[in-house]
Amino acid sequence: MTGLAERHLGRALPPAVALPELVDRVRQAAEAAVSARHVDAGVEQAEAEARRVRREASAARQRLDRLAVELWLTAAPEEGGLDAAAERGREAVRIREEEATALALLRTAAPDLDADELVAASETVEESALADELDRAHAAAAELAREHEELLEQLGGLRDRRRVLEGADGAAVLHAEAQGHLARAAEAAERYVIVHLQRETLRRELESYERRHSSPLLDEAGRLLERLTGGRFAGLRPAGGEARTLVAARADGEELAPDQLSEGTADQVFLALRLAGIRQLQAERRAAGLPAVPVVLDDVLMTFDDARAAAALAVLGELAADWQVLLFTHHEHLAGLARRAADDVTVIDLGPPAAVALPLAHPA
């Protein structure tokens, strides 16, 4: 204990005195060691933080360099470069705000005008032309404002004139006459509506009656037309109206006027009407005890294709059972179609015309 006291305290002390001091020195040394470790840890943390800050500063300098290049500064940052870039950024924000304000005004003034189309069109227009157009627009606006003022003055004068007339002695009489004219006009309008409704009702009733009570001739012609067209058309009926024409009814219910029919179908309708009229005439002669007359048809199948011609020849073959039907044609293919249409058809080829002998001139 005495040796430890001399070594650490620098003097020889009795053990009872040296022990407390040595204990205090050991406690101080332990506290100092702990503090040293804390200081070392703080130093290491500070050094790590410094390294991190240096890395972030380097990365920030690299980002600043890229930003400077992107903002058209020099490749290396110069003094004032970022300030200029910030000023350009503020200018860009101001321009965008002005653009938004201009677009809002444009949409309010001309909602149907496309801003993109206006910009595209303005690219090819000279600034001087735009200025001239603006001057003309201002002049037109001033002229319209002047006309508006004149109209307002006229309106005010008319209102004053109306107040004068309303306050005159004859205003009540004129008002009563006007009301009487209005009442007579309303009465005439009511009579017109009633007469128009009556006329329209009668017209529709007449058309309905004609559809229900069509003539036997039209019924027969409709049946023949159905045969001639192979069922594509189902009949004929009056069209009604003032024109009083016929319409051809298709099998699907559609009705076609004569000018809507093809040439071949129109000829089929005409042939059906003629054959129906001939059949009615023959029936009347038979009822009167008279013989049937021959029926002569000359090239009535000129516009018919082979299918239409075959159907027409079949119908004529059936009619030939009661009458004598003569069909003249210069189309050779109709002879073959006629033989196939009916068994009792007689085909006669007249041949070429005979030569005409010219008399000889007498000698002089």
Side-chain angles (χ1 to χ4, degrees), residues 1-354:
M1 182 65 68
T2 301
L4 290 175
E6 292 179 353
R7 185 184 308 166
H8 294 287
L9 300 177
R11 64 185 183 279
L13 295 174
V17 178
L19 181 59
E21 291 187 12
L22 289 174
V23 171
D24 186 54
R25 290 287 183 91
V26 170
R27 186 174 59 256
Q28 292 177 0
E31 293 176 355
V34 172
S35 299
R37 285 195 296 274
H38 284 297
V39 170
D40 292 339
V43 170
E44 292 179 357
Q45 184 177 2
E47 290 178 350
E49 184 69 17
R51 289 192 296 272
R52 184 185 64 78
V53 170
R54 285 195 294 271
R55 288 195 301 271
E56 292 180 355
S58 177
R61 282 194 296 273
Q62 293 177 1
R63 288 195 295 271
L64 287 174
D65 293 341
R66 289 195 300 271
L67 180 61
V69 173
E70 292 176 358
L71 296 174
W72 298 287
L73 299 175
T74 57
E78 296 178 356
E79 185 178 357
L82 290 178
D83 293 337
E87 181 62 27
R88 282 196 294 273
R90 288 190 291 271
E91 181 68 15
V93 171
R94 185 185 64 79
I95 292 174
R96 283 195 295 271
E97 291 176 353
E98 291 182 354
E99 180 184 5
T101 303
L103 287 176
L105 291 175
L106 180 62
R107 294 190 184 97
T108 302
D112 297 333
L113 186 63
D114 190 353
D116 295 334
E117 293 180 359
L118 179 61
V119 172
S122 63
E123 292 178 352
T124 60
V125 180
E126 297 293 336
E127 185 175 356
S128 59
L130 289 176
D132 296 339
E133 186 67 23
L134 181 60
D135 293 338
R136 287 192 294 270
H138 284 311
E143 180 65 20
L144 291 175
R146 184 185 62 79
E147 293 180 359
H148 181 257
E149 292 295 332
E150 292 179 355
L151 291 175
L152 287 178
E153 292 179 0
Q154 293 178 9
L155 179 61
L158 292 174
R159 286 175 176 172
D160 293 339
R161 179 62 178 168
R162 177 184 174 182
R163 284 193 293 270
V164 171
L165 292 175
E166 289 177 349
D169 295 336
V173 177
L174 294 176
H175 180 72
E177 292 180 357
Q179 293 299 321
H181 290 313
L182 289 176
R184 286 191 292 273
E187 183 180 356
E190 183 179 359
R191 288 199 304 271
Y192 170 79
V193 170
I194 293 174
V195 172
H196 179 72
L197 291 175
Q198 291 174 345
R199 178 177 177 274
E200 186 67 18
T201 303
L202 290 175
R203 184 185 65 80
R204 294 183 180 180
E205 288 297 326
L206 179 60
E207 291 180 357
S208 176
Y209 179 82
E210 289 178 343
R211 292 191 186 98
R212 296 193 304 269
H213 303 85
S214 58
S215 66
L217 178 64
L218 286 183
D219 292 341
E220 180 64 23
R223 287 190 291 270
L224 290 172
L225 180 62
E226 186 176 9
R227 292 284 310 282
L228 293 173
T229 60
R232 290 186 296 109
F233 284 84
L236 297 169
R237 71 168 187 83
E242 298 179 357
R244 311 302 297 169
T245 60
L246 293 177
V247 293
R250 294 172 57 93
D252 57 4
E254 183 182 4
E255 296 179 349
L256 301 179
D259 57 352
Q260 295 177 309
L261 300 174
S262 64
E263 184 180 9
T265 304
D267 284 349
Q268 285 178 311
V269 172
F270 188 49
L271 180 60
L273 289 170
R274 284 197 292 177
L275 294 178
I278 293 171
R279 173 173 281 183
Q280 184 174 351
L281 176 63
Q282 300 285 34
E284 292 174 356
R285 290 181 60 85
R286 187 179 300 109
L290 300 175
V293 295
V295 178
V296 180
L297 304 172
D298 185 14
D299 259 337
V300 295
L301 308 180
M302 289 179 58
T303 61
F304 288 25
D305 55 20
D306 288 350
R308 286 189 174 104
L313 289 170
V315 172
L316 293 176
E318 294 178 2
L319 297 178
D322 299 323
W323 326 323
Q324 183 182 13
V325 180
L326 301 177
L327 174 62
F328 291 93
T329 181
H330 64 280
H331 295 282
E332 295 183 359
H333 72 283
L334 292 178
L337 292 176
R339 292 189 181 93
R340 291 192 295 271
D343 297 333
D344 55 351
V345 172
T346 302
V347 178
I348 301 174
D349 187 0
L350 299 179

